[in-house]
Structure formats: structure tokens, C-alpha cells
Amino acid sequence: MQLGITMVNREELDNYCNNFLNVKNFKDYGPNGLQIEGSETINKIVSGVSANLDLIERAIEEKADAIFVHHGIFWENESNLITGAKRKKIALLMNNNINLFGYHLPLDDHPEVGNNIELGRILGIKKMRPVEDSYLWQGELKSNLTDFIKLIEKKLDRAPQIFGRQEGAIKKIAWCTGGAQSFIDDAISLNVDLYLSGEVSEKTPAAAKENNITFVSAGHHATERYGVQALCKHLCAKF
């Protein structure tokens, strides 16, 4: 997604995003905010889920001044050597004077533009609310499993994987986008009919079956497309 904003100073935009997304409240796996410094003034922004080479090359084609992503370039569990593909991406950003902004957990959990609330809106979940002291969200549906799976496939443009309970009414749902399958025990404690996340691990199907709930693995990228889009639309309205 690409959008235009009235020319804004890089530092002003960085400070606004850090405050708006409450970055200081999160202990994350990588840096949030400005990761690669580019042009001091920003007029056009491009957004995507991850800072991959395709996105950077597209941003160059679009003559963007900044890229906003959910998954940035730097992570604690990866090598800090700037070699190979990482070097190429950083070089392209710097040579083309493009700023890279990345927001991970702060973007997942935000109550206005976060991945969780945006996915909930897209899937028509009602009475959405965050679970206290957790990244999980919960809400209500008036649907059956068959119809809800069809809706997921239509809205996310991919067929999800279904585990555990294979039919029945869906009234209470919990979800967390991306790689949050390990939260299934927390979802079970909420007495939900269905838990949705992006990925699935070896033990997840058994946990769903043994506790008579449905687990839906809808795709890491597919469930996290919407927060960064909502953030950039917000920025364009603000500036």
C-alpha cells in the first residue's frame, strides 16, 4: 500500500508514532521505530508486512521516502552481521535515502490500528476486547464453523488449516495474529469455541482436540496485513 502525506519531518513522524503506539511499554524482540535513517523530510510512504527485498524494490519504484513495516530488519535472535541479503536491503535503503520504520508488538496490540483489532473488524467479530495481561483478544460471533471458515478464506484470500472440533456453533472466539499458537492454553481457559492465530505447532492440534475447541491457523502474513495499513492511513489523516 502506498499513501501520500503532507511533507513531514522524519523526527516528528518518528516521535509521533512512538507515542501513538506506546512503544516504551513493550519489551520486544527487536527495535521499534526508525530502523534505517533516510530522507529528513517525508512525503510518500509505502507499507508492507515485512522488510523484504520485493517491498524495498517496489518502494524505490514508487519513489517513496519511507517504508512502514510490522517485521523490520533487525531481530535479537538473528546474526548482527550485515552480510548477504541483509546487506543488500540496507544498501538499497541507504542509497535511495529511504527511511525504514518497523513496529512489532506495539502494532499487534494497539486498540485503534493494531493487527488484532483490525483482523477482528475484517472478520466481523463483535464486542472485541483485549484479554488482561495478554496479547490475546476475545469477542463474540453468531456463526457456525462452516460459514466462519468460508468467511476467513474469502477475507484473507487463503484456505486456513482447521484442527480440533470440526463443526458446531461459534459464539465465543479468541485470537492473536502471527505466531501466537502457544497461547492456545490461555484461549482454552477463556472457554471459547474457537482460537485463531497465524501459525500452528506440533502440539497445537492435540491441545485443540483434547479440549474440544477449534483451532484455526490462518497464516502469519495473512493475519498481519492490516495493522500496518491502518497505521499508515491514520498517519495520512493526521499529517
Side-chain angles (χ1 to χ4, degrees):
M1 183 182 74
Q2 60 165 312
L3 292 167
I5 58 179
T6 301
M7 191 171 292
V8 61
N9 178 270
R10 178 187 61 237
E11 184 177 356
E12 180 185 1
L13 189 61
D14 187 32
N15 289 337
Y16 177 82
C17 289
N18 289 340
N19 290 327
F20 178 65
L21 296 174
N22 300 308
V23 164
K24 65 181 180 181
N25 294 336
F26 292 85
K27 179 173 172 46
D28 213 332
Y29 310 105
N32 287 293
L34 181 65
Q35 292 193 356
I36 302 290
E37 184 178 286
S39 171
E40 186 175 350
T41 56
I42 297 171
N43 186 59
K44 180 186 261 190
I45 57 179
V46 164
S47 74
V49 176
S50 301
N52 54 45
L53 185 59
D54 286 344
L55 177 64
I56 293 170
E57 290 177 340
R58 181 62 184 272
I60 293 169
E61 291 176 9
E62 299 293 341
K63 295 181 171 54
D65 305 301
I67 302 173
F68 279 75
V69 294
H70 179 48
H71 301 134
I73 285 182
F74 304 106
W75 299 97
E76 288 182 358
N77 60 346
E78 292 184 356
S79 171
N80 56 10
L81 299 178
I82 302 176
T83 59
K86 183 182 288 187
R87 178 192 182 282
K88 184 174 183 179
K89 290 188 287 188
I90 292 173
L92 282 172
L93 289 166
M94 296 184 70
N95 290 339
N96 289 277
N97 213 22
I98 297 175
N99 296 279
L100 177 68
F101 294 84
Y103 298 97
H104 188 228
L105 294 180
L107 189 58
D108 284 320
D109 206 44
H110 197 270
E112 295 179 46
V113 299
N115 282 319
N116 282 319
I117 195 166
E118 286 297 317
L119 182 62
R121 287 169 179 155
I122 286 169
L123 297 180
I125 301 171
K126 307 300 182 183
K127 297 183 179 179
M128 295 186 291
R129 58 201 184 278
V131 177
E132 189 175 358
D133 297 324
S134 172
Y135 289 112
L136 287 175
W137 280 59
Q138 62 181 328
E140 299 178 8
L141 284 171
K142 292 182 179 179
S143 183
N144 60 65
L145 181 58
T146 300
D147 289 343
F148 187 56
I149 296 306
K150 288 180 180 177
L151 177 66
I152 293 172
E153 186 168 355
K154 178 181 178 181
K155 293 295 186 179
L156 303 190
D157 196 29
R158 73 189 303 275
Q161 293 179 287
I162 316 301
F163 303 97
R165 194 181 68 137
Q166 296 290 311
E167 59 183 7
I170 306 296
K171 296 180 180 179
K172 294 181 65 179
I173 178 174
W175 72 101
C176 187
T177 64
Q181 64 271 31
S182 62
F183 294 159
I184 189 169
D185 291 336
D186 296 329
I188 290 166
S189 70
L190 297 172
N191 295 315
V192 298
D193 303 303
L194 183 147
Y195 176 52
L196 183 152
S197 190
E199 299 185 11
V200 60
S201 296
E202 187 276 335
K203 67 177 185 178
T204 319
K209 183 177 181 180
E210 292 164 3
N211 290 278
N212 196 34
I213 72 166
T214 301
F215 175 73
V216 177
S217 172
H220 196 136
H221 181 277
T223 58
E224 295 195 324
R225 291 196 295 250
Y226 308 104
V228 71
Q229 293 181 33
L231 171 62
C232 288
K233 289 176 181 176
H234 170 85
L235 295 177
C236 289
K238 174 69 178 178
F239 296 99

